[in-house]
Amino acid sequence: MSRRKIIIDTDPGQDDAVAILLALASPEELEVLGITCVAGNVPLPLTTRNARIICELAGQPETRVFAGCDAPLQRKLVTAEHVHGKTGLDGPVLPEPTMPLQPEHAVDFIIQTLRTAPAGSVTLCPLGPLTNIATAFQRAPDIAARVGEIVLMGGAYFEVGNITPAAEFNIYVDPEAADIVFKSGAPITVMPLDVTHKALVTQERNDAFRALGTPVGIATAEMTEFFERYDREKYGSPGAPLHDPCVTAYLLQPALFKGRHINVEIETASALTLGMTVADWWRVTDRAPNATFMGEIDANGFFTLLTERLARL
Ligand code: RIB
Ligand code: CA
């Protein structure tokens, strides 16, 4: 089976970190062409630091990591240190990275890669605000048609918002960027909070990470232990929702997820509902479907896959 070429666009973030580890642990199925960093959970200098820390933790310092946009297209950056800690990767104590950042800007790398790879052969995997992806589409309108698939973590419908009553964080930080991406015509698969809030790291699942006894297993246990306190307090949930690893798991075992191909549009005007993903789940409008919006996950299957793959690193 040919390997799927992917670009991971990310704002690590403990859950981004686990998504990256899962991808790097799956070289038979996934070829990580590069990791492009964006400002989101924490500012860009920290997301580029954290991405490299994770690549080195995975024992893959040759992975190409790029710095991207340090602010949303039009708005002031909103970050989430209250969830992820001041470094964005609080929890484990990991060494500062020694691997280099690539010299090219992440947006140039995305454009260049999509223009040179065979059309339809590259999957974009955004795990944070969509600023890098939207900037690439604005600068090079020709590339949207060359994207194989966009599989992103973002949005919410039945689960409603996590940063405001209406909006999920990744979309809320840069709603104009999300609007550009959802209107780009590229095939989009969405992992919203509706799914990721069902992928909870219970104590038993966290124990399974720790029981791997490896630096990766222990660090994953420590990252999710740190990250879960916010959701426990807010939702009373029995563990951290592993948002971003749902994207990687979909690439590896799509049958773990169920959803609908529907119309999804982004609120960019109303202050009250800014960043809301208006998902026409019940198809009550004649707006054309533009995204596969996931609603269900086989959570046990997800954690079995994740734990087995992390054991390989
Ligand atoms: O709302 C959850 C999303 O926001 C995740 O991608 C998390 O890492 C943060 O970026
Ligand atoms: Ca993220």
Side-chain angles (χ1 to χ4, degrees), residues 10-287:
T10 179
D11 64 336
Q14 291 90 346
D15 60 318
D16 304 66
V18 181
I20 293 166
L21 289 171
L22 179 55
L24 296 178
S26 308
E28 293 86 14
E29 296 96 334
L30 304 175
E31 181 183 358
V32 179
L33 300 177
I35 295 178
T36 52
C37 300
V38 68
N41 285 318
V42 286
L44 184 68
L46 283 172
T47 58
T48 57
R49 165 194 178 264
N50 296 342
R52 286 177 289 155
I53 287 176
I54 292 306
C55 290
E56 291 182 343
L57 175 66
Q60 298 185 32
E62 70 284 2
T63 309
R64 294 188 296 170
V65 177
F66 300 82
C69 299
D70 63 2
L73 295 181
Q74 296 175 20
R75 297 174 188 272
K76 198 169 160 310
L77 178 63
V78 171
T79 52
E81 288 86 350
H82 60 292
V83 179
H84 299 276
K86 65 179 178 8
T87 71
L89 211 56
D90 285 24
V93 179
L94 296 169
E96 289 302 309
T98 55
M99 63 182 279
L101 264 184
Q102 296 300 309
E104 299 95 324
H105 189 284
V107 171
D108 295 330
F109 169 71
I110 292 168
I111 293 170
Q112 186 59 16
T113 303
L114 285 168
R115 280 185 170 157
T116 48
S121 67
V122 176
T123 299
L124 301 179
C125 305
L127 309 179
L130 290 162
T131 317
N132 285 344
I133 311 299
T135 304
F137 286 178
Q138 283 182 317
R139 277 201 213 148
D142 57 296
I143 65 172
R146 299 182 64 82
V147 174
E149 185 175 12
I150 298 175
V151 185
L152 68 88
M153 190 279 140
Y157 185 58
F158 295 102
E159 193 65 11
V160 292
N162 61 357
I163 188 78
T164 74
E168 177 278 328
F169 178 80
N170 288 341
I171 307 298
Y172 176 75
V173 169
D174 199 341
E176 285 73 21
D179 190 43
I180 288 167
V181 171
F182 276 79
K183 287 178 177 164
S184 68
I188 299 177
T189 298
V190 183
M191 293 291 160
L193 297 179
D194 303 58
V195 158
T196 68
H197 277 184
K198 296 169 186 164
L200 300 177
V201 184
T202 59
Q203 189 58 54
E204 185 190 347
R205 290 163 175 167
N206 189 282
D207 292 346
F209 294 149
R210 195 176 287 277
L212 294 175
T214 58
V216 165
I218 292 165
T220 301
E222 291 171 338
M223 283 192 285
T224 49
E225 264 161 16
F226 179 87
F227 168 56
E228 79 178 10
R229 80 209 187 295
Y230 175 79
D231 286 78
R232 271 186 192 282
E233 212 171 289
K234 177 173 175 182
Y235 297 102
S237 51
L242 274 188
H243 306 291
D244 296 335
C246 288
V247 168
T248 317
Y250 170 81
L251 301 175
L252 297 170
Q253 283 183 15
L256 290 173
F257 301 91
K258 281 203 187 79
R260 288 185 185 179
H261 191 58
I262 56 171
N263 177 269
V264 179
E265 302 213 358
I266 311 297
E267 178 57 68
T268 56
S270 152
L272 188 61
T273 56
L274 185 69
M276 181 176 182
T277 44
V278 182
D280 188 6
W281 185 263
W282 302 111
R283 299 190 178 99
V284 295
T285 76
D286 57 2
R287 296 198 288 256

